[in-house]
Amino acid sequence: MSRPRAYLAGPEVFLSDSAAVIASKRELALSYGFQPNGIAEEELDPTGLSLFEFGRRISLANEKAMRGSDLIIANLTPFRGISADIGTAFEVGFMCALGRAAYGYTNTARPYFERLRDDYYHGAIAKTADGATRGPDGMMVEDHGMVDNLMLDGGIETLGGILVRRQVEPDNLWSDLSAFEDCLRAAAVRFGLARPT
């Protein structure tokens, strides 16, 4: 029986120790019975390509890998701001649109509303005459008690996945894989895989 192919999404590629973190995630996925699926290095040769064309090739390679995957496990920890990495958010949406199993996790337990209110608007929000909560720029501040934008939480939930919230120390924000492992554990049950000993 072939292993279910898991697309491991997240901003880890941008980390200074990306190779080590990605290798650890791949090893954990294998230990739970999944085949980590991602882009092939030979598809990423920038020789003779413009920066734009090389970026497009990476995008196409990622889409090919996702189409060849049975599930996605996405790191939705806020990245370079108050929300998940935008590329990872796209990948969750892409896999949800394909109807594939979707799982997500964040190493920041604070809900999106708190990050929006406190970190983006620095507390300067108020109820307005229309009954909405708005920032000083007039934009509505949504509160659905979710990890991030409602489409991420909603898409994962609708497809029967889970979105794990953990609060880890800032120094371990990108290296702590306990929430990732919670996703692997849940997905292993769903796919009928034996749990590791």
PDB file of all heavy atoms in Angstrom, residues 160-193:
ATOM      1  N   GLY A 160     -13.076  18.529   7.329  1.00  0.00           N
ATOM      2  CA  GLY A 160     -12.883  17.547   8.393  1.00  0.00           C
ATOM      3  C   GLY A 160     -11.515  17.561   9.034  1.00  0.00           C
ATOM      4  O   GLY A 160     -11.177  16.649   9.785  1.00  0.00           O
ATOM      5  N   GLY A 161     -10.737  18.599   8.752  1.00  0.00           N
ATOM      6  CA  GLY A 161      -9.413  18.700   9.356  1.00  0.00           C
ATOM      7  C   GLY A 161      -9.462  19.433  10.687  1.00  0.00           C
ATOM      8  O   GLY A 161     -10.541  19.749  11.201  1.00  0.00           O
ATOM      9  N   ILE A 162      -8.293  19.695  11.229  1.00  0.00           N
ATOM     10  CA  ILE A 162      -8.193  20.446  12.475  1.00  0.00           C
ATOM     11  C   ILE A 162      -7.199  21.572  12.281  1.00  0.00           C
ATOM     12  O   ILE A 162      -6.312  21.501  11.424  1.00  0.00           O
ATOM     13  CB  ILE A 162      -7.758  19.564  13.670  1.00  0.00           C
ATOM     14  CG1 ILE A 162      -6.383  18.931  13.412  1.00  0.00           C
ATOM     15  CG2 ILE A 162      -8.805  18.508  13.983  1.00  0.00           C
ATOM     16  CD1 ILE A 162      -5.771  18.264  14.633  1.00  0.00           C
ATOM     17  N   LEU A 163      -7.354  22.615  13.091  1.00  0.00           N
ATOM     18  CA  LEU A 163      -6.400  23.723  13.116  1.00  0.00           C
ATOM     19  C   LEU A 163      -5.930  23.845  14.558  1.00  0.00           C
ATOM     20  O   LEU A 163      -6.693  24.253  15.429  1.00  0.00           O
ATOM     21  CB  LEU A 163      -7.058  25.008  12.616  1.00  0.00           C
ATOM     22  CG  LEU A 163      -6.111  25.992  11.929  1.00  0.00           C
ATOM     23  CD1 LEU A 163      -6.878  27.032  11.134  1.00  0.00           C
ATOM     24  CD2 LEU A 163      -5.149  26.629  12.872  1.00  0.00           C
ATOM     25  N   VAL A 164      -4.706  23.418  14.806  1.00  0.00           N
ATOM     26  CA  VAL A 164      -4.149  23.334  16.159  1.00  0.00           C
ATOM     27  C   VAL A 164      -3.526  24.671  16.546  1.00  0.00           C
ATOM     28  O   VAL A 164      -2.758  25.253  15.780  1.00  0.00           O
ATOM     29  CB  VAL A 164      -3.080  22.226  16.240  1.00  0.00           C
ATOM     30  CG1 VAL A 164      -2.464  22.166  17.631  1.00  0.00           C
ATOM     31  CG2 VAL A 164      -3.678  20.881  15.838  1.00  0.00           C
ATOM     32  N   ARG A 165      -3.863  25.133  17.756  1.00  0.00           N
ATOM     33  CA  ARG A 165      -3.259  26.360  18.298  1.00  0.00           C
ATOM     34  C   ARG A 165      -2.339  25.985  19.445  1.00  0.00           C
ATOM     35  O   ARG A 165      -2.742  25.270  20.364  1.00  0.00           O
ATOM     36  CB  ARG A 165      -4.325  27.290  18.857  1.00  0.00           C
ATOM     37  CG  ARG A 165      -5.317  27.800  17.857  1.00  0.00           C
ATOM     38  CD  ARG A 165      -6.314  28.711  18.555  1.00  0.00           C
ATOM     39  NE  ARG A 165      -7.478  28.929  17.713  1.00  0.00           N
ATOM     40  CZ  ARG A 165      -8.277  29.981  17.829  1.00  0.00           C
ATOM     41  NH1 ARG A 165      -8.039  30.882  18.747  1.00  0.00           N
ATOM     42  NH2 ARG A 165      -9.310  30.113  17.034  1.00  0.00           N
ATOM     43  N   ARG A 166      -1.139  26.493  19.409  1.00  0.00           N
ATOM     44  CA  ARG A 166      -0.194  26.321  20.515  1.00  0.00           C
ATOM     45  C   ARG A 166       0.447  27.669  20.796  1.00  0.00           C
ATOM     46  O   ARG A 166       0.604  28.479  19.885  1.00  0.00           O
ATOM     47  CB  ARG A 166       0.928  25.346  20.136  1.00  0.00           C
ATOM     48  CG  ARG A 166       0.532  23.912  19.998  1.00  0.00           C
ATOM     49  CD  ARG A 166       0.630  23.195  21.320  1.00  0.00           C
ATOM     50  NE  ARG A 166       0.239  21.827  21.163  1.00  0.00           N
ATOM     51  CZ  ARG A 166       0.935  20.811  21.590  1.00  0.00           C
ATOM     52  NH1 ARG A 166       2.085  21.006  22.196  1.00  0.00           N
ATOM     53  NH2 ARG A 166       0.495  19.585  21.426  1.00  0.00           N
ATOM     54  N   GLN A 167       0.855  27.884  22.022  1.00  0.00           N
ATOM     55  CA  GLN A 167       1.641  29.068  22.350  1.00  0.00           C
ATOM     56  C   GLN A 167       3.028  28.584  22.728  1.00  0.00           C
ATOM     57  O   GLN A 167       3.181  27.880  23.718  1.00  0.00           O
ATOM     58  CB  GLN A 167       1.012  29.853  23.510  1.00  0.00           C
ATOM     59  CG  GLN A 167       1.679  31.183  23.765  1.00  0.00           C
ATOM     60  CD  GLN A 167       1.563  32.123  22.577  1.00  0.00           C
ATOM     61  OE1 GLN A 167       0.487  32.341  22.043  1.00  0.00           O
ATOM     62  NE2 GLN A 167       2.682  32.681  22.142  1.00  0.00           N
ATOM     63  N   VAL A 168       4.001  28.912  21.919  1.00  0.00           N
ATOM     64  CA  VAL A 168       5.370  28.491  22.199  1.00  0.00           C
ATOM     65  C   VAL A 168       6.222  29.724  22.461  1.00  0.00           C
ATOM     66  O   VAL A 168       5.848  30.849  22.122  1.00  0.00           O
ATOM     67  CB  VAL A 168       5.969  27.649  21.046  1.00  0.00           C
ATOM     68  CG1 VAL A 168       5.093  26.443  20.742  1.00  0.00           C
ATOM     69  CG2 VAL A 168       6.168  28.481  19.798  1.00  0.00           C
ATOM     70  N   GLU A 169       7.369  29.493  23.051  1.00  0.00           N
ATOM     71  CA  GLU A 169       8.292  30.589  23.336  1.00  0.00           C
ATOM     72  C   GLU A 169       8.750  31.242  22.031  1.00  0.00           C
ATOM     73  O   GLU A 169       8.958  30.544  21.026  1.00  0.00           O
ATOM     74  CB  GLU A 169       9.505  30.065  24.111  1.00  0.00           C
ATOM     75  CG  GLU A 169       9.177  29.555  25.495  1.00  0.00           C
ATOM     76  CD  GLU A 169       8.612  30.651  26.389  1.00  0.00           C
ATOM     77  OE1 GLU A 169       9.114  31.792  26.322  1.00  0.00           O
ATOM     78  OE2 GLU A 169       7.658  30.371  27.135  1.00  0.00           O
ATOM     79  N   PRO A 170       8.920  32.564  22.025  1.00  0.00           N
ATOM     80  CA  PRO A 170       9.325  33.258  20.796  1.00  0.00           C
ATOM     81  C   PRO A 170      10.577  32.676  20.136  1.00  0.00           C
ATOM     82  O   PRO A 170      10.658  32.614  18.905  1.00  0.00           O
ATOM     83  CB  PRO A 170       9.562  34.696  21.259  1.00  0.00           C
ATOM     84  CG  PRO A 170       8.671  34.854  22.449  1.00  0.00           C
ATOM     85  CD  PRO A 170       8.677  33.505  23.127  1.00  0.00           C
ATOM     86  N   ASP A 171      11.535  32.224  20.934  1.00  0.00           N
ATOM     87  CA  ASP A 171      12.763  31.663  20.358  1.00  0.00           C
ATOM     88  C   ASP A 171      12.515  30.345  19.628  1.00  0.00           C
ATOM     89  O   ASP A 171      13.336  29.917  18.835  1.00  0.00           O
ATOM     90  CB  ASP A 171      13.823  31.439  21.447  1.00  0.00           C
ATOM     91  CG  ASP A 171      14.397  32.746  21.967  1.00  0.00           C
ATOM     92  OD1 ASP A 171      14.160  33.802  21.336  1.00  0.00           O
ATOM     93  OD2 ASP A 171      15.060  32.716  23.020  1.00  0.00           O
ATOM     94  N   ASN A 172      11.382  29.692  19.918  1.00  0.00           N
ATOM     95  CA  ASN A 172      11.067  28.399  19.306  1.00  0.00           C
ATOM     96  C   ASN A 172       9.896  28.480  18.327  1.00  0.00           C
ATOM     97  O   ASN A 172       9.351  27.454  17.928  1.00  0.00           O
ATOM     98  CB  ASN A 172      10.733  27.369  20.398  1.00  0.00           C
ATOM     99  CG  ASN A 172      11.879  27.151  21.345  1.00  0.00           C
ATOM    100  OD1 ASN A 172      13.036  27.180  20.949  1.00  0.00           O
ATOM    101  ND2 ASN A 172      11.570  26.957  22.611  1.00  0.00           N
ATOM    102  N   LEU A 173       9.533  29.704  17.950  1.00  0.00           N
ATOM    103  CA  LEU A 173       8.351  29.910  17.118  1.00  0.00           C
ATOM    104  C   LEU A 173       8.373  29.057  15.861  1.00  0.00           C
ATOM    105  O   LEU A 173       7.356  28.521  15.443  1.00  0.00           O
ATOM    106  CB  LEU A 173       8.231  31.391  16.757  1.00  0.00           C
ATOM    107  CG  LEU A 173       6.891  31.848  16.214  1.00  0.00           C
ATOM    108  CD1 LEU A 173       5.790  31.694  17.258  1.00  0.00           C
ATOM    109  CD2 LEU A 173       6.987  33.296  15.759  1.00  0.00           C
ATOM    110  N   TRP A 174       9.527  28.910  15.244  1.00  0.00           N
ATOM    111  CA  TRP A 174       9.613  28.193  13.965  1.00  0.00           C
ATOM    112  C   TRP A 174      10.194  26.792  14.106  1.00  0.00           C
ATOM    113  O   TRP A 174      10.114  26.003  13.172  1.00  0.00           O
ATOM    114  CB  TRP A 174      10.434  29.014  12.968  1.00  0.00           C
ATOM    115  CG  TRP A 174       9.810  30.357  12.775  1.00  0.00           C
ATOM    116  CD1 TRP A 174      10.270  31.560  13.236  1.00  0.00           C
ATOM    117  CD2 TRP A 174       8.567  30.644  12.132  1.00  0.00           C
ATOM    118  NE1 TRP A 174       9.395  32.566  12.916  1.00  0.00           N
ATOM    119  CE2 TRP A 174       8.346  32.039  12.229  1.00  0.00           C
ATOM    120  CE3 TRP A 174       7.619  29.859  11.476  1.00  0.00           C
ATOM    121  CZ2 TRP A 174       7.216  32.662  11.697  1.00  0.00           C
ATOM    122  CZ3 TRP A 174       6.497  30.484  10.948  1.00  0.00           C
ATOM    123  CH2 TRP A 174       6.298  31.867  11.057  1.00  0.00           C
ATOM    124  N   SER A 175      10.762  26.473  15.246  1.00  0.00           N
ATOM    125  CA  SER A 175      11.388  25.154  15.407  1.00  0.00           C
ATOM    126  C   SER A 175      10.526  24.177  16.201  1.00  0.00           C
ATOM    127  O   SER A 175      10.728  22.965  16.111  1.00  0.00           O
ATOM    128  CB  SER A 175      12.756  25.293  16.089  1.00  0.00           C
ATOM    129  OG  SER A 175      12.620  25.904  17.371  1.00  0.00           O
ATOM    130  N   ASP A 176       9.562  24.670  16.985  1.00  0.00           N
ATOM    131  CA  ASP A 176       8.704  23.792  17.781  1.00  0.00           C
ATOM    132  C   ASP A 176       7.699  23.113  16.858  1.00  0.00           C
ATOM    133  O   ASP A 176       6.862  23.771  16.234  1.00  0.00           O
ATOM    134  CB  ASP A 176       7.981  24.608  18.858  1.00  0.00           C
ATOM    135  CG  ASP A 176       7.225  23.731  19.844  1.00  0.00           C
ATOM    136  OD1 ASP A 176       6.474  22.839  19.399  1.00  0.00           O
ATOM    137  OD2 ASP A 176       7.375  23.941  21.057  1.00  0.00           O
ATOM    138  N   LEU A 177       7.775  21.787  16.785  1.00  0.00           N
ATOM    139  CA  LEU A 177       6.929  21.022  15.862  1.00  0.00           C
ATOM    140  C   LEU A 177       5.839  20.220  16.571  1.00  0.00           C
ATOM    141  O   LEU A 177       5.251  19.319  15.987  1.00  0.00           O
ATOM    142  CB  LEU A 177       7.810  20.090  15.020  1.00  0.00           C
ATOM    143  CG  LEU A 177       8.863  20.784  14.141  1.00  0.00           C
ATOM    144  CD1 LEU A 177       9.678  19.758  13.372  1.00  0.00           C
ATOM    145  CD2 LEU A 177       8.207  21.782  13.194  1.00  0.00           C
ATOM    146  N   SER A 178       5.545  20.563  17.824  1.00  0.00           N
ATOM    147  CA  SER A 178       4.538  19.792  18.555  1.00  0.00           C
ATOM    148  C   SER A 178       3.142  19.962  17.946  1.00  0.00           C
ATOM    149  O   SER A 178       2.384  18.995  17.855  1.00  0.00           O
ATOM    150  CB  SER A 178       4.541  20.156  20.043  1.00  0.00           C
ATOM    151  OG  SER A 178       4.372  21.544  20.227  1.00  0.00           O
ATOM    152  N   ALA A 179       2.784  21.164  17.512  1.00  0.00           N
ATOM    153  CA  ALA A 179       1.474  21.368  16.879  1.00  0.00           C
ATOM    154  C   ALA A 179       1.435  20.681  15.511  1.00  0.00           C
ATOM    155  O   ALA A 179       0.403  20.123  15.123  1.00  0.00           O
ATOM    156  CB  ALA A 179       1.167  22.858  16.741  1.00  0.00           C
ATOM    157  N   PHE A 180       2.537  20.715  14.797  1.00  0.00           N
ATOM    158  CA  PHE A 180       2.644  19.986  13.522  1.00  0.00           C
ATOM    159  C   PHE A 180       2.412  18.502  13.758  1.00  0.00           C
ATOM    160  O   PHE A 180       1.680  17.841  13.010  1.00  0.00           O
ATOM    161  CB  PHE A 180       4.019  20.242  12.908  1.00  0.00           C
ATOM    162  CG  PHE A 180       4.344  19.402  11.713  1.00  0.00           C
ATOM    163  CD1 PHE A 180       3.664  19.574  10.509  1.00  0.00           C
ATOM    164  CD2 PHE A 180       5.343  18.446  11.767  1.00  0.00           C
ATOM    165  CE1 PHE A 180       3.971  18.800   9.390  1.00  0.00           C
ATOM    166  CE2 PHE A 180       5.666  17.678  10.661  1.00  0.00           C
ATOM    167  CZ  PHE A 180       4.971  17.853   9.466  1.00  0.00           C
ATOM    168  N   GLU A 181       3.002  17.994  14.840  1.00  0.00           N
ATOM    169  CA  GLU A 181       2.840  16.572  15.151  1.00  0.00           C
ATOM    170  C   GLU A 181       1.399  16.249  15.541  1.00  0.00           C
ATOM    171  O   GLU A 181       0.891  15.164  15.222  1.00  0.00           O
ATOM    172  CB  GLU A 181       3.814  16.142  16.247  1.00  0.00           C
ATOM    173  CG  GLU A 181       3.947  14.654  16.345  1.00  0.00           C
ATOM    174  CD  GLU A 181       5.156  14.184  17.134  1.00  0.00           C
ATOM    175  OE1 GLU A 181       5.915  15.028  17.651  1.00  0.00           O
ATOM    176  OE2 GLU A 181       5.339  12.958  17.226  1.00  0.00           O
ATOM    177  N   ASP A 182       0.704  17.178  16.196  1.00  0.00           N
ATOM    178  CA  ASP A 182      -0.720  16.970  16.483  1.00  0.00           C
ATOM    179  C   ASP A 182      -1.503  16.792  15.184  1.00  0.00           C
ATOM    180  O   ASP A 182      -2.410  15.956  15.101  1.00  0.00           O
ATOM    181  CB  ASP A 182      -1.297  18.166  17.253  1.00  0.00           C
ATOM    182  CG  ASP A 182      -0.843  18.222  18.702  1.00  0.00           C
ATOM    183  OD1 ASP A 182      -0.308  17.213  19.218  1.00  0.00           O
ATOM    184  OD2 ASP A 182      -1.021  19.285  19.328  1.00  0.00           O
ATOM    185  N   CYS A 183      -1.158  17.587  14.171  1.00  0.00           N
ATOM    186  CA  CYS A 183      -1.819  17.462  12.868  1.00  0.00           C
ATOM    187  C   CYS A 183      -1.513  16.104  12.238  1.00  0.00           C
ATOM    188  O   CYS A 183      -2.410  15.445  11.693  1.00  0.00           O
ATOM    189  CB  CYS A 183      -1.372  18.583  11.932  1.00  0.00           C
ATOM    190  SG  CYS A 183      -1.977  20.217  12.377  1.00  0.00           S
ATOM    191  N   LEU A 184      -0.259  15.686  12.305  1.00  0.00           N
ATOM    192  CA  LEU A 184       0.124  14.380  11.763  1.00  0.00           C
ATOM    193  C   LEU A 184      -0.653  13.256  12.445  1.00  0.00           C
ATOM    194  O   LEU A 184      -1.135  12.333  11.789  1.00  0.00           O
ATOM    195  CB  LEU A 184       1.622  14.146  11.945  1.00  0.00           C
ATOM    196  CG  LEU A 184       2.571  14.884  11.014  1.00  0.00           C
ATOM    197  CD1 LEU A 184       4.003  14.736  11.493  1.00  0.00           C
ATOM    198  CD2 LEU A 184       2.425  14.384   9.582  1.00  0.00           C
ATOM    199  N   ARG A 185      -0.775  13.366  13.759  1.00  0.00           N
ATOM    200  CA  ARG A 185      -1.473  12.340  14.533  1.00  0.00           C
ATOM    201  C   ARG A 185      -2.939  12.240  14.096  1.00  0.00           C
ATOM    202  O   ARG A 185      -3.458  11.145  13.865  1.00  0.00           O
ATOM    203  CB  ARG A 185      -1.366  12.692  16.022  1.00  0.00           C
ATOM    204  CG  ARG A 185      -1.558  11.554  16.976  1.00  0.00           C
ATOM    205  CD  ARG A 185      -1.243  11.968  18.416  1.00  0.00           C
ATOM    206  NE  ARG A 185       0.183  12.116  18.633  1.00  0.00           N
ATOM    207  CZ  ARG A 185       0.807  13.266  18.924  1.00  0.00           C
ATOM    208  NH1 ARG A 185       0.127  14.387  19.054  1.00  0.00           N
ATOM    209  NH2 ARG A 185       2.101  13.286  19.103  1.00  0.00           N
ATOM    210  N   ALA A 186      -3.591  13.389  13.951  1.00  0.00           N
ATOM    211  CA  ALA A 186      -5.001  13.399  13.535  1.00  0.00           C
ATOM    212  C   ALA A 186      -5.150  12.879  12.109  1.00  0.00           C
ATOM    213  O   ALA A 186      -6.063  12.102  11.811  1.00  0.00           O
ATOM    214  CB  ALA A 186      -5.563  14.814  13.648  1.00  0.00           C
ATOM    215  N   ALA A 187      -4.242  13.295  11.230  1.00  0.00           N
ATOM    216  CA  ALA A 187      -4.313  12.843   9.840  1.00  0.00           C
ATOM    217  C   ALA A 187      -4.042  11.345   9.736  1.00  0.00           C
ATOM    218  O   ALA A 187      -4.652  10.648   8.914  1.00  0.00           O
ATOM    219  CB  ALA A 187      -3.321  13.625   8.983  1.00  0.00           C
ATOM    220  N   ALA A 188      -3.144  10.835  10.571  1.00  0.00           N
ATOM    221  CA  ALA A 188      -2.833   9.403  10.550  1.00  0.00           C
ATOM    222  C   ALA A 188      -4.073   8.580  10.903  1.00  0.00           C
ATOM    223  O   ALA A 188      -4.332   7.534  10.300  1.00  0.00           O
ATOM    224  CB  ALA A 188      -1.684   9.094  11.507  1.00  0.00           C
ATOM    225  N   VAL A 189      -4.841   9.054  11.866  1.00  0.00           N
ATOM    226  CA  VAL A 189      -6.087   8.366  12.227  1.00  0.00           C
ATOM    227  C   VAL A 189      -7.047   8.392  11.038  1.00  0.00           C
ATOM    228  O   VAL A 189      -7.631   7.369  10.669  1.00  0.00           O
ATOM    229  CB  VAL A 189      -6.725   9.011  13.483  1.00  0.00           C
ATOM    230  CG1 VAL A 189      -8.116   8.467  13.718  1.00  0.00           C
ATOM    231  CG2 VAL A 189      -5.840   8.794  14.700  1.00  0.00           C
ATOM    232  N   ARG A 190      -7.176   9.537  10.434  1.00  0.00           N
ATOM    233  CA  ARG A 190      -8.098   9.682   9.293  1.00  0.00           C
ATOM    234  C   ARG A 190      -7.723   8.765   8.129  1.00  0.00           C
ATOM    235  O   ARG A 190      -8.580   8.199   7.467  1.00  0.00           O
ATOM    236  CB  ARG A 190      -8.092  11.134   8.829  1.00  0.00           C
ATOM    237  CG  ARG A 190      -8.992  11.418   7.649  1.00  0.00           C
ATOM    238  CD  ARG A 190      -8.990  12.881   7.333  1.00  0.00           C
ATOM    239  NE  ARG A 190      -9.914  13.246   6.287  1.00  0.00           N
ATOM    240  CZ  ARG A 190     -10.273  14.489   6.035  1.00  0.00           C
ATOM    241  NH1 ARG A 190      -9.799  15.478   6.758  1.00  0.00           N
ATOM    242  NH2 ARG A 190     -11.101  14.748   5.057  1.00  0.00           N
ATOM    243  N   PHE A 191      -6.418   8.643   7.876  1.00  0.00           N
ATOM    244  CA  PHE A 191      -5.957   7.842   6.738  1.00  0.00           C
ATOM    245  C   PHE A 191      -5.708   6.385   7.118  1.00  0.00           C
ATOM    246  O   PHE A 191      -5.215   5.607   6.308  1.00  0.00           O
ATOM    247  CB  PHE A 191      -4.707   8.467   6.126  1.00  0.00           C
ATOM    248  CG  PHE A 191      -5.005   9.642   5.242  1.00  0.00           C
ATOM    249  CD1 PHE A 191      -5.164  10.904   5.765  1.00  0.00           C
ATOM    250  CD2 PHE A 191      -5.161   9.486   3.869  1.00  0.00           C
ATOM    251  CE1 PHE A 191      -5.447  11.996   4.950  1.00  0.00           C
ATOM    252  CE2 PHE A 191      -5.451  10.550   3.036  1.00  0.00           C
ATOM    253  CZ  PHE A 191      -5.598  11.817   3.583  1.00  0.00           C
ATOM    254  N   GLY A 192      -6.028   6.000   8.363  1.00  0.00           N
ATOM    255  CA  GLY A 192      -5.904   4.607   8.780  1.00  0.00           C
ATOM    256  C   GLY A 192      -4.472   4.125   8.900  1.00  0.00           C
ATOM    257  O   GLY A 192      -4.186   2.942   8.682  1.00  0.00           O
ATOM    258  N   LEU A 193      -3.573   5.014   9.275  1.00  0.00           N
ATOM    259  CA  LEU A 193      -2.161   4.657   9.422  1.00  0.00           C
ATOM    260  C   LEU A 193      -1.864   4.297  10.866  1.00  0.00           C
ATOM    261  O   LEU A 193      -2.418   4.865  11.799  1.00  0.00           O
ATOM    262  CB  LEU A 193      -1.268   5.827   8.993  1.00  0.00           C
ATOM    263  CG  LEU A 193      -1.471   6.332   7.569  1.00  0.00           C
ATOM    264  CD1 LEU A 193      -0.657   7.588   7.334  1.00  0.00           C
ATOM    265  CD2 LEU A 193      -1.113   5.261   6.566  1.00  0.00           C
TER     266      LEU A 193
END
